[in-house]
Amino acid sequence: MSASATPGDVPAATGTVTTAVPARLDRLPWSRWHWMIVIGLGTVWILDGLEVTTVGNIAGRLSEEGSGLAITSAQVTGIAAALYVAGACAGALFFGWLTDRYGRRKLFMITLAVYLVATALTALSFSPWWFFVFRFFTGFGIGGEYAAINSAIDELIPSKYRGRVDLIINGSYWLGAIGGALLSVVMLNTDIFPKDLGWRLTFALGVVLGLVILLVRRHVPESPRWQFIHGQGEEAEALVTSVEREIEQEKGEPLPAPDREITIQQRKSIGFGLIAKTVFGHYPKRATLGLALFIGQAFLYNAITFGFGAILTTFFDVPTGKTGYYFAVIAAGNFLGPLLLGKLFDTVGRRIMISSTYLLSGILLFGTAWLFDQGSLDAVSMTACWCVVLFFASAGASSAYLTVSEVFPMETRAMAIAFFYAIGTAAGGISGPLVFADLTESGVVGDTVLAFQIGAGLMCAAGLVAVFLAVNAERRSLEDIATPLSAVEK
């Protein structure tokens, strides 16, 4: 690597470097080091799944007399859910900007700490306003995680594995959902825990899991790609060299030489104006794609799954203490989607897989809505239909995060993830729970059918957008998909 000062540097610049760090990272074989990255960073989605599922399943219990909290089920699945998502949107934007400016590692430690404190305080809720406030701040921490974690993962994982790893990590949300669903069955059992204690312990267990993740995450390094752009070229070289030595020792053979270099004008930070101009001025089609994918999946998931427990209790008379069993089944379908389909995003390709998963899930959801409207479903068959729908929808939703984290330049990555997550989630994730809570609470079949149809329509629309605008990013270096803003032509 070479470094030199240049006369025309802007104040934020620190010089130019020529480096092979991206190519060196992309040609690495899968190793124990990569597993450490996946475990340290990817497990946070388990927390998010645990959070959302737990709240959805305890909504009925919280509204019962003797729960220790004077709140209605609609307030939990409506107002509290919307505040959680609003917090996630705000947290994504706030921490996304900090992540691009101060590094991935600093922020993914801070965001997890915010989540832990807010979740612990949620467990201590004594009134609705307290519960609402700390649901917001729990979401604030989780939203920051999305920006910091996705950017770090994509920059550390080799290009030939990036699609499947990203999808499986995002899909691990549903492992948390399974845990939350089954946990709620135990915690809501009044033979084991009193009404006013079980739901509090559920949140407390989320804190314990978060602390374990925090211990593992201490060993995850900063992204070398971020380092060499932000004036830490020597640190990036040293980190990659140490990883290469570790992998060569593990595999027992030398690594092939990197096949390319890139010259970068180093910067300390990138302004909002340049980020916006880049995302919307230089890549308008990619921006349209990102918005379509996020809005479609956000409405489907935040509007429908937040209220799944309410559907079971309202239309099929499933006791509140038993809804967790049903949710565990659809959560399993959600996780199996990215797990089994993820490799195809790297082999068959992004365009075909993104469009097909969105379109299939939308069409299947329309079919589910029709069967429900005809009165042809019971609790078991409704759950089975949802399991199939979400098998495809989960892979598609995970690909939305993959897409916006890989199709924009390195310097804008965390902010791009944050922006599309915030806009898409605000459109579908805040309005969705508020509308859907009223629709399901009405007890009218037609209202719930309408909610299903809206979610299905948006998924199909996003799938059609992907047919024309999806980027063939499979097995390509991030720097080839979108040239860094700091790149210098030789």
Side-chain angles (χ1 to χ4, degrees):
M1 179 185 69
S2 62
S4 61
T6 56
D9 285 347
V10 293
T14 59
T16 58
V17 295
T18 298
T19 179
V21 160
R24 291 165 68 187
L25 289 170
D26 281 336
R27 74 32 162 131
L28 294 176
W30 193 261
S31 66
R32 288 191 296 266
W33 185 78
H34 294 107
W35 278 118
M36 183 268 292
I37 300 297
V38 169
I39 294 170
L41 297 183
T43 43
V44 72
W45 271 254
I46 297 176
L47 291 178
D48 193 12
L50 186 71
E51 280 289 320
V52 173
T53 309
T54 295
V55 172
N57 282 301
I58 69 174
R61 175 54 47 82
L62 285 173
S63 65
E64 294 174 1
E65 187 176 353
S67 70
L69 200 61
I71 195 170
T72 67
S73 178
Q75 285 179 316
V76 177
T77 58
I79 297 174
L83 284 171
Y84 176 85
V85 176
C89 294
L93 292 170
F94 178 71
F95 289 119
W97 174 70
L98 294 177
T99 297
D100 277 335
R101 185 177 181 87
Y102 295 109
R104 291 27 175 156
R105 189 176 191 279
K106 288 187 180 72
L107 271 298
F108 63 59
M109 297 297 284
I110 292 172
T111 52
L112 183 54
V114 170
Y115 161 83
L116 290 172
V117 172
T119 301
L121 291 172
T122 301
L124 301 176
S125 296
F126 56 88
S127 69
W129 71 264
W130 181 280
F131 186 81
F132 294 152
V133 166
F134 288 104
R135 289 309 294 160
F136 174 87
F137 281 108
T138 301
F140 194 72
I142 287 292
E145 287 276 293
Y146 278 109
I149 300 303
N150 271 303
S151 53
I153 288 170
D154 281 359
E155 290 166 12
L156 292 169
I157 298 298
S159 57
K160 62 183 176 181
Y161 302 111
R162 189 173 62 241
R164 73 196 75 174
V165 170
D166 202 296
L167 258 71
I168 292 172
I169 285 177
N170 279 283
S172 69
Y173 168 101
W174 295 102
L175 288 177
I178 295 171
L182 297 177
L183 186 63
S184 68
V185 172
V186 177
M187 293 301 179
L188 296 181
N189 187 337
T190 52
D191 292 334
I192 302 175
F193 299 104
K195 281 186 177 181
D196 62 347
L197 180 61
W199 65 269
R200 298 182 189 276
L201 292 177
T202 304
F203 286 113
L205 287 173
V207 176
V208 173
L209 179 59
L211 288 172
V212 173
I213 296 173
L214 190 64
L215 292 175
V216 176
R217 191 172 286 185
R218 293 181 307 160
H219 303 289
V220 178
E222 180 57 84
S223 163
R225 281 180 158 102
W226 182 89
Q227 286 178 318
F228 73 71
I229 284 181
H230 289 80
Q232 300 176 23
E234 293 182 0
E235 291 89 338
E237 293 285 340
L239 173 57
V240 175
T241 298
S242 69
V243 172
E244 289 172 332
R245 289 173 181 167
E246 178 182 328
I247 293 176
E248 285 179 336
Q249 185 175 14
E250 176 187 338
K251 303 298 182 182
E253 58 184 14
L255 294 168
D259 59 0
R260 70 185 69 184
E261 292 183 330
I262 186 171
T263 300
I264 291 292
Q265 175 70 59
Q266 294 181 313
R267 304 167 181 254
K268 288 294 185 183
S269 64
I270 305 293
F272 274 118
L274 182 56
I275 291 174
K277 181 181 178 182
T278 300
V279 172
F280 296 102
H282 294 287
Y283 298 101
K285 292 181 179 179
R286 297 183 182 188
T288 301
L289 172 67
L291 286 172
L293 296 181
F294 267 94
I295 291 173
Q297 65 86 28
F299 195 95
L300 177 75
Y301 276 99
N302 290 292
I304 309 300
T305 58
F306 264 125
F308 186 69
I311 293 172
L312 293 176
T313 56
T314 301
F315 296 103
F316 303 115
D317 297 321
V318 176
T320 57
K322 302 295 183 182
T323 58
Y325 291 118
Y326 295 90
F327 205 96
V329 173
I330 68 168
N334 270 289
F335 178 64
L336 288 174
L339 181 65
L340 298 179
L341 299 178
K343 185 177 180 179
L344 299 178
F345 283 77
D346 285 324
T347 54
V348 174
R350 305 287 201 262
R351 184 186 300 271
I352 292 174
M353 291 306 300
I354 294 172
S355 58
S356 62
T357 51
Y358 269 79
L359 286 168
L360 271 172
S361 60
I363 293 168
L364 290 169
L365 182 52
F366 273 124
T368 300
W370 182 80
L371 290 172
F372 182 68
D373 190 38
Q374 296 299 306
S376 303
L377 301 176
D378 57 18
V380 173
S381 54
M382 168 68 91
T383 302
C385 287
W386 266 103
C387 196
V388 176
V389 169
L390 296 175
F391 175 85
F392 295 104
S394 181
S398 295
S399 72
Y401 293 92
L402 168 67
T403 297
V404 298
S405 66
E406 67 181 0
V407 301
F408 297 106
M410 157 75 199
E411 298 88 340
T412 70
R413 182 159 296 121
M415 271 306 297
I417 296 168
F419 175 81
F420 288 102
Y421 171 79
I423 296 299
T425 304
I430 297 176
S431 61
L434 291 173
V435 172
F436 198 68
D438 290 335
L439 291 175
T440 54
E441 192 178 48
S442 72
V444 177
V445 170
D447 289 346
T448 300
V449 169
L450 175 61
F452 286 1
Q453 291 173 335
I454 293 172
L458 289 172
M459 288 296 281
C460 287
L464 291 174
V465 171
V467 169
F468 297 101
L469 300 184
V471 178
N472 296 317
E474 59 274 6
R475 306 175 74 87
R476 294 172 61 192
S477 169
L478 294 171
E479 290 73 22
D480 288 340
I481 299 168
T483 304
L485 300 179
S486 305
V488 177
E489 293 186 10
K490 293 185 177 180

